[in-house]
Amino acid sequence: MNNLFIFFTALVISVALIPLMVRLAPRLGMVDIPDPRKVHTQPTARVGGVGIVVGSLIPILLWVPLDNGTIAYLFGAMVLLVFGLWDDSRELGHYVKFIGQFIAVLAVVYYGDVYVKTLPFAGLEPLSASIGKPFTVFAIVGMINAINHSDGLDGLAGGLSVLSLSCIAYLASLANGYQVVAIAIAALGGVLGFLRYNTHPAGVFMGDGGSQFLGFTLGFLAVLLTQTENTALSPALPALILGLPIIDILAVFAQRAYQGMNWFRATKNHIHHRFLELGFDHYEAVVIIYSVQMLFVAGAIALRYETDALILSLYLGVCVLVFAFIIIAMSIGWRAHQSRTSSGLVNLVQTLMRNAAVRAAPVRVLSVSIPALVIFFGIFITDVPRDLGLGAAILSLTLLLALLFSGNSDSILFRASAYIAAAFVVYLETKQADILLPLMTAIENGYFVFLAITIGLAVRFAAGAKFKTSPLDYLLIFIVVSVGVFSHNQVQHTDLGAIVAKLVILFYGCELIISHTKSRWNALNISTLGTLTMLSIRALV
């Protein structure tokens, strides 16, 4: 239950804080101006890192035991946030940024005592601290810069981090590594809250404040997972867990060194730039890179106890294939989308999208079906823990006051209330699902499938003439499917796949309803208020 609180606290803080920072960005000088080496064409606030970092760190302070490693991590994260925000507003040189990076990493390595003790192919012979600690410092600093350099397309660095963090959280949960799981889940909540605003075309960038934090967190957790929490894992596993950003930055540095260029001067020669040069559009480039990273993290989970040679062979083999495709395609002048003729399916969808009634129908169905489901769960659920009921009581009172006195129908409070109510009822309903008859379970599952299809239609019809999926949609679908697959045979995780799948469906549905509703006294807010009130009464009376 704590992990759910950690995740949703981070998510809500991130989602609520970023819009406030966007308003302050011009005053703080934290606006990214387009130039020839950048992909975006409009000035964009780069303050998303504040939401990611603050959203991640607050639940860690609230629910994670503060040992030396955690204290060092929190200190390092704040140092990187300060230096990152300084760079986002003043454009620091690389050497100044390195000062902040080394301060942060030296803290976790030498004060937190988190460092690499075994290397691939070295057997069980441990490294001495005099070698392992300096190696770890340079490895984590390298990971910080790898994520920082991968932040070149909307949703790219955040999505890659989500995949790696999900993998780390899952592997740590198998070893009952609460500290690693909690930190990874907190960072996941912070990043997903940011991705709410960063899907192409992005309304905000994470900036160095966010990208350096994510690289630091991933490096720290990868070392902690494989070197402390579960030493049975292969020491080569971080290559798959961290994936494409590692080989990308190494290839870029090698190319710059070969051409006699400054290693740290930004250029357009990263993998994502190459895919754009090959004619793939923004969405396609991001989805392709996500797909490669998905292969890596799935391989990390499947091969976690395999030999170092097999793990590194998979990693290097996929990397060779990716770079070989890019090099060959560019050398022969191949380009994606050489023909722009639309297919019959695309033409049919575009025709349907021009009909206003057809476009509005899915959202109207969701506006009735999701509030009805939330109310049904509120009536059905009988066993409510007291702490959860107290939270529901506080939230229901706050929501009632907002409904009575707020003039904003799209208030963050309404959105957060709907999300939290959905999380409460799904969690509690899943815990009571064993009393359902098989027929009722089948009906409930069918209802969620119906909601998922309706949401898909609503998203498609709201997307204009482009018949494409968002990379964030693709990322969430992968996570939901993966959770279901990898938790299937784990007794302690049997509910997790169902909870995550249902929550993703309800969150998307709530978001669509809110974005198409002008009145605050709508069915979703009323059903949320009623359900929270019922839960609080059952727990407290």
Side-chain angles (χ1 to χ4, degrees):
M1 189 65 181
N2 263 7
N3 287 337
L4 283 176
F5 280 130
I6 290 171
F7 176 79
F8 287 114
T9 300
L11 179 70
V12 170
I13 291 173
S14 180
V15 168
L17 188 56
I18 288 174
L20 299 177
M21 291 304 302
V22 170
R23 296 189 186 99
L24 294 174
R27 299 181 184 178
L28 301 174
M30 299 174 67
V31 177
D32 198 326
I33 305 300
D35 64 40
R37 70 173 180 85
K38 297 176 181 177
V39 175
H40 66 286
T41 58
Q42 299 293 329
T44 305
R46 45 186 177 193
V47 293
V50 178
I52 295 173
V53 178
V54 175
S56 301
L57 297 189
I58 287 179
I60 293 174
L61 286 167
L62 291 175
W63 284 294
V64 179
L66 297 180
D67 60 12
N68 285 356
T70 305
I71 292 171
Y73 167 76
L74 293 170
F75 169 78
M78 290 307 301
V79 168
L80 288 173
L81 178 62
V82 170
F83 273 81
L85 295 180
W86 187 11
D87 179 65
D88 290 331
S89 60
R90 295 290 183 269
E91 293 286 350
L92 302 178
H94 285 88
Y95 298 107
V96 178
K97 289 198 291 186
F98 278 135
I99 294 174
Q101 293 171 10
F102 276 102
I103 291 173
V105 178
L106 286 169
V108 299
V109 172
Y110 286 93
Y111 179 78
D113 205 35
V114 176
Y115 67 96
V116 174
K117 303 176 182 69
T118 58
L119 290 174
F121 306 112
L124 299 177
E125 187 68 25
L127 286 175
S128 67
S130 61
I131 297 175
K133 288 187 176 182
F135 172 80
T136 306
V137 170
F138 285 100
I140 297 180
V141 168
M143 191 60 203
I144 292 172
N145 287 280
I147 295 296
N148 181 248
H149 282 250
S150 71
D151 186 24
L153 297 180
D154 296 343
L156 184 57
L160 293 175
S161 299
V162 164
L163 291 168
S164 296
L165 287 167
S166 300
C167 179
I168 290 171
Y170 177 76
L171 293 175
S173 70
L174 298 180
N176 296 317
Y178 175 74
Q179 180 190 25
V180 175
V181 173
I183 294 174
I185 285 178
L188 271 172
V191 179
L192 287 172
F194 162 74
L195 286 174
R196 161 76 174 76
Y197 305 99
N198 189 241
T199 299
H200 184 70
V204 63
F205 295 155
M206 68 171 65
D208 276 18
S211 61
Q212 291 191 113
F213 166 77
L214 291 176
F216 172 68
T217 300
L218 288 170
F220 168 76
L221 291 178
V223 174
L224 192 61
L225 171 66
T226 58
Q227 303 293 324
T228 302
E229 294 291 352
N230 188 358
T231 55
L233 295 173
S234 166
L237 206 62
L240 290 177
I241 294 173
L242 305 176
L244 207 53
I246 298 175
I247 194 67
D248 181 35
I249 194 170
L250 290 176
V252 168
F253 282 168
Q255 183 178 0
R256 291 175 184 173
Y258 176 76
Q259 296 176 350
M261 301 169 60
N262 184 330
W263 281 29
F264 306 111
R265 183 177 179 181
T267 56
K268 297 181 72 170
N269 55 357
H270 290 278
I271 288 178
H272 52 271
H273 294 128
R274 299 302 187 194
F275 281 121
L276 294 179
E277 289 178 22
L278 288 172
F280 292 103
D281 66 25
H282 195 291
Y283 280 154
E284 291 166 336
V286 173
V287 167
I288 291 170
I289 295 172
Y290 279 179
S291 299
V292 177
Q293 188 80 345
M294 288 171 186
L295 177 60
F296 284 144
V297 299
I301 293 172
L303 304 177
R304 57 189 180 273
Y305 297 122
E306 297 296 332
T307 64
D308 299 341
L310 178 59
I311 289 171
L312 290 178
S313 295
L314 172 62
Y315 180 71
L316 294 175
V318 173
C319 292
V320 168
L321 289 175
V322 170
F323 282 101
F325 166 75
I326 292 173
I327 292 170
I328 294 172
M330 296 190 74
S331 66
I332 65 175
W334 180 88
R335 292 294 180 270
H337 307 302
Q338 294 181 3
S339 173
R340 289 289 180 179
T341 303
S342 298
S343 68
L345 179 59
V346 172
N347 290 332
L348 174 61
V349 172
Q350 290 175 346
T351 300
L352 290 174
M353 287 181 177
R354 296 188 190 102
N355 187 299
V358 172
R359 291 199 306 271
V363 174
R364 289 176 180 172
V365 172
L366 291 173
S367 298
V368 175
S369 54
I370 287 182
L373 180 67
V374 172
I375 285 289
F376 174 78
F377 279 168
I379 295 172
F380 167 76
I381 293 167
T382 56
D383 185 13
V384 182
R386 186 173 181 83
D387 57 346
L388 191 149
L390 179 61
I394 295 171
L395 187 58
S396 63
L397 178 60
T398 306
L399 177 58
L400 177 60
L401 294 174
L403 287 170
L404 291 173
F405 301 109
S406 174
N408 183 6
S409 63
D410 191 28
S411 168
I412 187 63
L413 178 60
F414 297 148
R415 180 177 276 104
S417 299
Y419 282 9
I420 294 172
F424 282 178
V425 297
V426 166
Y427 172 77
L428 294 172
E429 182 273 338
T430 305
K431 291 299 182 184
Q432 295 184 197
D434 56 342
I435 68 174
L436 287 175
L437 296 174
L439 178 60
M440 291 296 294
T441 301
I443 292 173
E444 179 190 329
N445 292 337
Y447 196 85
F448 272 98
V449 171
F450 163 74
L451 289 178
I453 294 172
T454 307
I455 289 168
L457 291 173
V459 170
R460 240 9 65 231
F461 288 168
K466 294 182 179 180
F467 184 54
K468 301 176 181 177
T469 56
S470 160
L472 181 57
D473 302 338
Y474 180 62
L475 185 66
L476 289 174
I477 289 170
F478 172 80
I479 292 172
V480 170
V481 172
S482 298
V483 166
V485 170
F486 289 118
S487 68
H488 181 68
N489 293 319
Q490 301 294 329
V491 175
Q492 66 269 37
H493 299 291
T494 52
D495 296 335
L496 187 57
I499 290 173
V500 173
K502 291 175 181 177
L503 284 180
V504 168
I505 291 170
L506 289 181
F507 285 0
Y508 264 85
C510 290
E511 185 66 29
L512 284 165
I513 295 170
I514 292 169
S515 65
H516 288 80
T517 301
K518 296 181 179 179
S519 170
R520 63 181 185 272
W521 289 99
N522 58 70
L524 179 62
N525 286 342
I526 294 172
S527 66
T528 298
L529 178 63
T531 298
L532 290 171
T533 302
M534 285 189 283
L535 295 180
S536 61
I537 290 173
R538 289 201 178 95
L540 303 177
V541 176

